[in-house]
Structure formats: C-alpha cells, structure tokens
Amino acid sequence: MPTQDEYKRFQDFVFRHLIVAASALKLPVHIHTSAGGGDYFDLRGVNVLNLENVVRDPKHRQTTFVLIHGGYPYDREAMMLASMKNVYLDSSATELMLYPTEFKNVLRRWLEYYPEKITFGSDAFPYNEALGVEEVYWMGVHTARTALAAALAEMIAAREITEAQALQMARGYLHDNAAALYR
C-alpha cells in the first residue's frame, strides 16, 4: 500500500502526463476548481493558486487550461491566473452556488479584466427526484443571464463600456468565447 505522499506523487505524475498528451492533441485541459459539497468538500485543496506552477511551467505554455467553476470561492485568484494566455475561466456551477446578485459581482470582475477568456457553462445534473436536470439547467441559465445583464448594466451606467461593447461581451460569454476556444 503506497503512503499518502507516494500516492500524491503518482497522481502528479499521471496529471502531468495527461497534460502533455492533451496538448499534443490540441485539446483543452479542464480542471475542476471548486470546493464541491457534501463528502467532497475540500476548501484548502481547491485553491487555484495550487495550479500556478502547472500553468506557468514552460513545458505547458502551449496547453490550454480551462478552470471549470471559475475557481470559486477563489474566483479572484482564478481571474489573475487567467492573465496567462493559456488559461480560461468557465462559470459552470458558480451560478448554481450563488444568488444572481453575488454572481453578478463575480462576472463583473471577470468582464472588467478578461471578457474574452470567460465561458458560460451550467454543470446541470439531477440533484434529486424533485429537482431534475431540466430545472437545474434552467436555474443556471436564469441566474447567469440575470447576473450578466446586471453586471453589464452597471458597467454601462458607470460609462466603463458602451451598449455595443456590452452586447459583444454578452455574446462572448454566452457563446463566442467557447466557440473560439473549442473550435
């Protein structure tokens, strides 16, 4: 039986091997970057700054990394990692964890810095018999659109962007950025 340290070294070895293989195939590497819930909750272990040495590694400069769930609750740190040309943020599930008013704040920060590097995702799955995948998808879309509209309206009101820029950012987040990223 391997020790915990040996097992972690093995996991790191496999992870880096998969990154190289994905890069050779020109496939983006999706990394789950959220605390999870229930028995899977691990706040300390999901800090996106744990990935900094990987995304900055010169061997992986040609690899595209997509931080699924946008690093929440470390969304600001994730945003800073997105300053690297090969790091993108996907909002999936973040809109399910947050009310639209708080998700608006997250989206606004992302839009202010890297509007071309954020993508919408719902991460919809059936929670239970009463809350199926259809309802969860609707909740995610509704929250994301509500938060996006509020964030862009604030930015327009503050004269940070024009209405035309807001429409471009909205199309980017909801479709165009992902279409470009995944071709």
Side-chain angles (χ1 to χ4, degrees):
M1 183 85 158
T3 67
Q4 205 168 12
D5 187 53
E6 290 169 333
Y7 187 61
K8 183 178 179 331
R9 281 199 312 263
F10 177 70
Q11 285 179 319
D12 290 348
F13 169 78
V14 170
F15 176 65
R16 289 194 181 256
H17 180 75
L18 291 172
I19 291 171
V20 169
S23 182
L25 295 170
K26 305 279 190 243
L27 295 173
V29 174
H30 287 192
I31 302 176
H32 182 274
T33 61
S34 184
D39 293 339
Y40 304 105
F41 190 82
D42 179 16
L43 190 56
R44 186 175 297 123
V46 299
N47 188 329
V48 294
L49 295 181
N50 293 328
L51 294 170
E52 187 173 9
N53 65 332
V54 175
V55 299
R56 288 191 181 282
D57 189 327
K59 291 181 288 197
H60 306 311
R61 293 248 190 243
Q62 300 306 311
T63 305
T64 300
F65 295 95
V66 181
L67 306 183
I68 304 296
H69 313 313
Y72 190 81
Y74 299 102
D75 50 286
R76 288 182 176 169
E77 291 83 352
M79 180 187 64
M80 298 313 293
L81 284 180
S83 69
M84 299 197 59
K85 70 176 183 122
N86 61 333
V87 179
Y88 293 78
L89 305 175
D90 179 282
S91 71
S92 62
T94 311
E95 65 273 359
L96 298 173
M97 292 183 272
L98 302 173
Y99 283 108
T101 52
E102 180 55 29
F103 186 51
K104 171 204 48 118
N105 296 331
V106 171
L107 268 180
R108 182 170 175 168
R109 281 191 294 273
W110 290 353
L111 290 165
E112 287 172 345
Y113 283 86
Y114 304 110
E116 73 286 356
K117 299 187 88 179
I118 60 173
T119 62
F120 167 77
S122 71
D123 202 20
F125 64 93
Y127 279 85
N128 52 43
E129 289 181 30
L131 194 58
V133 69
E134 297 87 357
E135 292 84 4
V136 175
Y137 181 74
W138 182 89
M139 285 173 37
V141 170
H142 178 73
T143 297
R145 292 175 117 189
T146 301
L148 179 62
L152 292 171
E154 281 185 6
M155 294 169 77
I156 291 169
R159 295 199 165 130
E160 297 169 354
I161 60 173
T162 65
E163 286 186 33
Q165 289 170 314
L167 288 172
Q168 183 178 4
M169 287 180 177
R171 277 191 302 273
Y173 169 63
L174 295 171
H175 175 269
D176 294 353
N177 296 346
L181 179 62
Y182 299 111
R183 292 184 200 94

